Every structure is written in structure tokens, then in C-alpha cells.
Amino acid sequence: MYLPVLDTPRLVLRTPREADVAGIAHHANDWEVARMTRRMPYPYLPASAERWIAEQAALAAAEIEYNFVLQRRDDGMVIGAAGLMRHNATEAELGYWLGRPFWRQGLGIEAGRAVVQFGFGALQLNTVYGDCLALNAASAALLRKLGMQQYDEITDTCRPGQGPVSILRFRLLAQEWQDAQDALFADGGNLAGGQDAGPP
């Protein structure tokens, strides 16, 4: 499938393109960003961004992954990425990262809500999962703000040459999401909401 453009008050979430290489590599090639994720390579060079971008059309067409770049609406700057990786026809995992200058501004939760809505709406998922390192309290807080509930904690090795780390596992059901959105609209809530506590 072709990815839609997802609009939020401050962000445009869209398909990655070649012109994004410099922006992605600039913000992703930061150990403070990479060390808070399970899968982001480090160092993250322009060639890494080129490979990632080149893979996206085929992954989306095969309905394996749906990844968006996060573009700031006011100036067009690419500041991170977010997406879903399918487990099966009805379940997918949320992933996201933001460049360090954009932490603690509520942009992560804004992007996360847009991607989760895409998953439950356009993709008709039943469950969205999210994992984070236990040391990444801000990411755990973001997942909880999305309405996810922690259901497990595991130990895994994420990076070659480094020891095992604790990983928190979260999930959100489609009906739970819909109930939360109905309650927010009934209360006149702001879906852009809240500040990020720190990274994703």
C-alpha cells in the first residue's frame, strides 16, 4: 500500500524520500538517541539513511512495515521517524525516535497518536504493541500516555558486545483506543496533548 500523509497540529508524517538523508543522518547519528532504542544502528551515517529510505516503498507495498518521517510543520525540518511493523494481519509494533533537540516538547506523543490511529483505522489492527528499554523512563511514559498497558518485562541483548538489558513490553487494544478517544472528545480533550518527559 501507499502510505498516506498524516497531519497533526505541529507535524506532517509522510513517506521518506531521498531528500531526507541529511536530516535523518544528522539527528540519528547521536549516541544519546541510539542508546535509547532497541534497533537503531550506531554510528548512523548518510549511507545508513539511504539504505533505510530505499527499503521503505517495498516494505509498505508488502504490508510488512509502514514508516513515516516526522517533518515539522512550521519549517519543514525532518526531526525523526515513527512507524508500525506488522507481527501478523491484526497486530503490529510501534516504533519511533526523535532527534535530541526535539525532546520534551510533546512531539513524540503527537506523532505516536497519529501512527496508532493509522494502525487501528486504515490497517484495521486489533492490537498495537510497544517495547522500550527499562532505563528509558520517558519512552515508557509516552507509551502509557498512548493508553498502553505494560504486560511483560524481558531481558534481551540489543547491541553486539553489550550485555543483556531489561525491556518493558506494552500493548493497546483497538477497543481500548476507541474508548479513550471517545472519552477525550466528550471532554473536549486536546489530542495533541502533553509534553514528552524526555527521549524517545
Side-chain angles (χ1 to χ4, degrees):
M1 69 175 293
Y2 291 100
L3 290 185
V5 174
L6 308 180
D7 290 303
T8 76
R10 293 178 293 168
L11 298 172
V12 176
L13 284 70
R14 58 163 176 79
T15 302
R17 50 192 184 225
E18 289 183 14
D20 301 325
V21 167
I24 291 172
H26 174 72
H27 293 300
N29 191 35
D30 180 342
W31 175 239
E32 289 303 308
V33 173
R35 77 182 186 91
M36 292 294 181
T37 72
R38 291 187 64 183
R39 301 184 181 93
M40 182 181 287
Y42 183 82
Y44 198 104
L45 305 177
S48 306
E50 289 171 358
R51 284 193 297 271
W52 182 77
I53 290 168
E55 296 169 349
Q56 297 311 305
L59 289 171
E63 300 190 359
I64 297 171
E65 293 187 23
Y66 312 86
N67 290 309
F68 302 85
V69 295
L70 312 182
Q71 179 178 302
R72 204 159 53 176
R73 182 176 295 280
D74 59 358
D75 60 8
M77 182 182 293
V78 171
I79 65 170
L84 292 166
M85 178 174 66
R86 274 196 189 271
H87 291 178
N88 53 49
T90 62
E91 300 178 328
E93 180 179 343
L94 174 68
Y96 48 86
W97 65 269
L98 278 176
R100 194 168 11 155
F102 313 105
W103 294 354
R104 300 182 179 88
Q105 299 173 39
L107 295 166
I109 188 68
E110 196 168 316
R113 283 180 172 138
V115 174
V116 169
Q117 180 59 54
F118 166 73
F120 287 135
L123 302 184
Q124 294 291 291
L125 298 175
N126 289 335
T127 310
V128 173
Y129 293 91
D131 289 357
C132 69
L133 304 185
L135 62 83
N136 190 349
S139 192
L142 186 152
L143 294 172
R144 291 187 176 101
K145 286 181 183 177
L146 289 173
M148 292 192 180
Q149 301 292 323
Q150 183 182 340
Y151 70 95
D152 200 4
E153 182 171 357
I154 63 171
T155 300
D156 195 10
T157 300
C158 297
R159 296 183 182 276
Q162 296 189 6
V165 295
S166 181
I167 296 166
L168 308 182
R169 314 199 77 176
F170 294 81
R171 66 184 167 206
L172 177 63
L173 303 179
Q175 189 59 57
E176 294 170 341
W177 173 259
Q178 188 58 57
D179 291 345
Q181 304 319 295
D182 291 345
L184 276 172
F185 280 117
D187 292 340
N190 178 6
L191 294 184
Q195 290 191 351
D196 299 331

